[in-house]
Amino acid sequence: FTSTRVFYRKNLILNLHLDQNRFSIPDSRIPSSMLFLFWCANEHQQFRLAEFESLASLLNVPLVWVFKSSEHPWVILDMASEEEALKIISRSVSAKYCLHLWAEGNSYQEFHTNLKAYPFNEQAKWLSEDLSFKVHVESFNRKTSVEERLEKIESLSYIPLQGPVNLKSPQVVFSYFEFHGFDHNNLPEEPLKIMFGRQVGEGQREKITKLSIKKRKFIGNTTMDPQLSLLMANLCKVEAGRVVLDPFVGTGSLLIAAAEFGGLVLGGDIDYLTLHARTRPSRVGQKVRAEDESMLANFEQYGLTSQYLGVIAGDASQSPWREQAWLDCVITDPPYGIRECTTRVGTSKDYSNQAIPEEYLDKHIPEKVAYTLYQLLTDLLNFSAKSLRVGGRLVYWLPVIRQTYQPDRVPSHPGLRLVADCEQVLSSHTSRRLLVMERVEGEGEAVVSKELTLFQEQFFLPTAGNISRKERKERIKEHGHLNLSEEEIKQFAKK
């Protein structure tokens, strides 16, 4: 059986990839390893590979890519055992399903020929009469009717399935996937790729629904989407017992996601009213906040109070936290000055010869001044380098103008290594980058490009009324952004 498996697997690998130059499999792993296909959700694709790599590092699972893509709805990994695949799928938010790949093909004929050649006797325990089963059918970029799905299932009648069919609670699930390309207006007659295998597990997509902000007790104007929050927690390598801090905590959405994966969470924010749920409600039709709205109420809602260490009102530019390596994760979405203002404690007045009378100190509310993105990023990186343990991670959002962004301008620090740089496109003009940095040995100060931090100034350029819709579309199609010239930027800035 071993020689048959090795022969079949080598032929499977040869046919798996659309681009033969993208992968290689060490021959030494062929006798004992297995191929696992992870079928992924078609959203936030730019974060997929970074999440897999972070989870592999967290769970100590070797990554051997067979098919690696952030565009196609699947990736394939060569793994030593099913247990390794289960570790990844048990934490992944990007992946919907994981299956032990049995066969694939670039056409119906090739697929069925390959599947018929599969050594089913090696999987006899999953095909036995003692186990109920169902076949899950899913297509990418093409809707399939119930009749079409049944026809595809019936075409697999040569598989020696002995058990009874159970659609509600089967003991074994087999998955059949079709890929019909990316062009909705020019669908091929046959799928470009067909894949089949036994489902090993499902991803953590249900957590997105569980943490939905539509039903969350306390939210604000900038509460982070739960899917992105969970992805950030995975990129930060949050796990049970790790201490997680958000220095710009807002309504605590990132902390909730980190707590969902077992992190011990705490945070701070300069906005006292937000921390205490005294700001204006963000929900449509709600005029006043409920009496029981609070940061703690959210953790109580999800049964995560044991993970919640608390939050404080504090100024990130004058960190109230201890100056030593005590954190495992810093995860944050700093304010950009667009929907929420950026401020720090300070004043433009000269109080060098004056002091606040002692009787007023208890109720004194300090004055605030503008906190530029340049200062904010410098303080964030310096704080993270001092406070993270070696191996700990900083994950944060950086707003950028797409046209002027350059990867070599990413904020840096001698004690922080850039691990991932993922883009979420916001418009033809702007995007935000999710930067993942890991604490390494090294001391020094943060280096931040001032040109990169001019986001607020360039965000409000009145481009829409100065460039026709037709020209905007042509520029975006050719360049991926508006491709504004220096003359246009100066001209628009005057208006």
Side-chain angles (χ1 to χ4, degrees):
F1 290 153
T2 300
S3 61
T4 303
R5 179 169 66 249
V6 173
F7 174 79
Y8 174 81
R9 187 171 176 281
K10 284 184 175 179
N11 280 277
L12 178 60
I13 290 173
L14 289 175
N15 291 294
L16 261 173
H17 215 298
L18 301 176
D19 179 358
Q20 296 291 335
N21 296 323
R22 278 187 172 183
F23 73 96
S24 61
I25 301 296
D27 290 337
S28 59
R29 292 198 59 167
I30 287 178
S32 60
S33 59
M34 306 164 72
L35 296 183
F36 290 92
L37 180 144
F38 293 81
W39 188 257
C40 302
N42 189 37
E43 51 187 348
H44 300 308
Q45 300 96 318
Q46 300 88 346
F47 304 88
R48 180 191 304 163
L49 301 182
E51 185 199 29
F52 271 85
E53 290 167 354
S54 295
L55 291 179
S57 174
L58 171 65
L59 303 170
N60 195 28
V61 174
L63 271 191
V64 180
W65 295 101
V66 176
F67 183 76
K68 181 179 181 181
S69 173
S70 60
E71 298 176 351
H72 292 76
W74 77 91
V75 297
I76 298 176
L77 294 173
D78 178 23
M79 313 189 89
S81 66
E82 187 171 312
E83 287 70 24
E84 289 186 353
L86 280 169
K87 287 181 180 180
I88 297 292
I89 198 65
S90 67
R91 277 292 301 264
S92 177
V93 179
S94 298
K96 295 169 64 178
Y97 309 105
C98 171
L99 56 141
H100 177 206
L101 187 61
W102 285 12
E104 61 77 41
N106 297 328
S107 66
Y108 287 126
Q109 181 178 355
E110 182 182 8
F111 165 73
H112 286 292
T113 299
N114 291 339
L115 184 56
K116 288 176 181 178
Y118 185 76
F120 293 114
N121 49 2
E122 295 186 7
Q123 305 295 330
K125 66 177 181 178
W126 305 111
L127 307 173
S128 73
E129 60 184 12
D130 299 325
L131 297 179
S132 61
F133 74 93
K134 78 170 184 178
V135 178
H136 170 73
V137 177
E138 188 168 327
S139 296
F140 181 86
N141 201 25
R142 186 181 184 278
K143 291 183 179 180
T144 53
S145 65
V146 174
E147 291 76 15
E148 287 176 316
R149 290 197 292 270
L150 286 173
E151 184 180 346
K152 297 177 191 303
I153 294 173
E154 290 172 355
S155 71
L156 305 172
S157 58
Y158 51 83
I159 301 177
L161 293 164
Q162 305 298 321
V165 175
N166 187 331
L167 300 181
K168 290 187 176 181
S169 55
Q171 294 169 288
V172 185
V173 177
F174 298 94
S175 293
Y176 173 100
F177 296 132
E178 289 185 352
F179 172 67
H180 293 265
F182 298 106
D183 189 351
H184 293 273
N185 300 317
N186 188 25
L187 293 175
E189 293 185 5
E190 285 194 358
L192 301 179
K193 183 69 70 174
I194 308 111
M195 295 160 286
F196 180 86
R198 177 179 59 84
Q199 191 176 116
V200 171
E202 296 186 16
Q204 301 303 300
R205 305 287 296 176
E206 79 282 352
K207 292 186 183 296
I208 300 171
T209 303
K210 175 186 175 181
L211 302 183
S212 171
I213 60 177
K214 292 181 180 179
K215 300 179 181 179
R216 188 174 301 174
K217 191 68 179 176
F218 171 50
I219 64 170
N221 292 332
T222 58
T223 297
M224 181 66 69
D225 165 70
Q227 183 172 353
L228 288 173
S229 300
L230 291 164
L231 284 169
M232 290 176 70
N234 274 342
L235 291 173
C236 215
K237 296 169 61 174
V238 176
E239 66 175 342
R242 293 201 172 181
V243 182
V244 183
L245 172 72
D246 184 351
F248 303 96
V249 71
T251 57
S253 186
L254 300 182
L255 295 189
I256 290 171
E260 180 69 19
F261 286 132
L264 302 173
V265 301
L266 70 163
D269 204 293
I270 197 171
D271 192 339
Y272 177 92
L273 295 178
T274 296
L275 290 179
H276 292 273
R278 296 184 183 179
T279 55
R280 293 180 61 183
S282 301
R283 286 190 169 93
V284 176
Q286 184 181 358
K287 295 183 178 180
V288 294
R289 288 196 179 275
E291 291 184 3
D292 60 346
E293 283 191 51
S294 68
M295 188 86 69
L296 178 60
N298 285 344
F299 287 88
E300 291 175 341
Q301 178 181 353
Y302 301 121
L304 299 172
T305 51
S306 61
Q307 310 299 118
Y308 179 56
L309 303 182
V311 295
I312 64 170
D315 182 2
S317 70
Q318 302 177 41
S319 176
W321 309 103
R322 65 178 70 173
E323 290 194 7
Q324 66 182 68
W326 62 288
L327 292 171
D328 299 297
C329 309
V330 176
I331 181 171
T332 191
D333 179 26
Y336 316 145
I338 306 300
R339 297 179 67 186
E340 295 289 345
C341 60
T342 55
T343 59
R344 61 183 177 87
V345 172
T347 179
S348 57
K349 302 174 184 177
D350 183 9
Y351 286 107
S352 57
N353 297 320
Q354 297 179 355
I356 300 172
E358 291 188 9
E359 61 266 28
Y360 299 125
L361 284 176
D362 288 343
K363 296 183 179 180
H364 173 68
I365 298 176
E367 188 177 349
K368 298 175 184 176
V369 295
Y371 193 19
T372 67
L373 187 57
Y374 172 80
Q375 293 172 315
L376 186 153
L377 293 174
T378 301
D379 292 339
L380 177 62
L381 266 64
N382 286 335
F383 167 77
S384 300
K386 291 178 181 177
S387 304
L388 285 171
R389 299 187 178 100
V390 172
R393 287 194 170 186
L394 162 66
V395 177
Y396 71 100
W397 288 101
L398 174 68
V400 299
I401 303 300
R402 298 182 67 197
Q403 177 179 333
T404 60
Y405 176 75
Q406 297 178 10
D408 58 358
R409 283 185 171 180
V410 168
S412 62
H413 190 286
L416 296 169
R417 176 177 63 88
L418 183 65
V419 175
D421 178 359
C422 308
E423 182 185 28
Q424 182 191 18
V425 176
L426 302 177
S427 70
S428 59
H429 187 50
T430 63
S431 68
R432 58 180 180 176
R433 317 287 303 201
L434 185 62
L435 301 179
V436 182
M437 309 184 84
E438 187 166 291
R439 183 68 169 97
V440 295
E441 297 290 350
E443 305 297 332
E445 295 294 320
V447 178
V448 179
S449 168
K450 289 190 176 182
E451 291 77 11
L452 189 63
T453 59
L454 297 177
F455 176 79
Q456 186 177 5
E457 292 82 349
Q458 296 188 29
F459 178 83
F460 291 108
L461 283 177
T463 57
N466 295 281
I467 303 176
S468 67
R469 180 177 297 181
K470 180 179 179 181
E471 186 177 355
R472 287 169 68 89
K473 288 184 177 180
E474 290 175 352
R475 290 190 183 194
I476 293 170
K477 184 176 181 180
E478 182 177 354
H479 305 284
H481 49 73
L482 293 180
N483 194 37
L484 299 175
S485 66
E486 293 185 10
E487 292 74 15
E488 287 176 322
I489 292 175
K490 291 178 181 179
Q491 178 184 353
F492 297 160
K494 294 177 182 179
K495 296 186 178 183

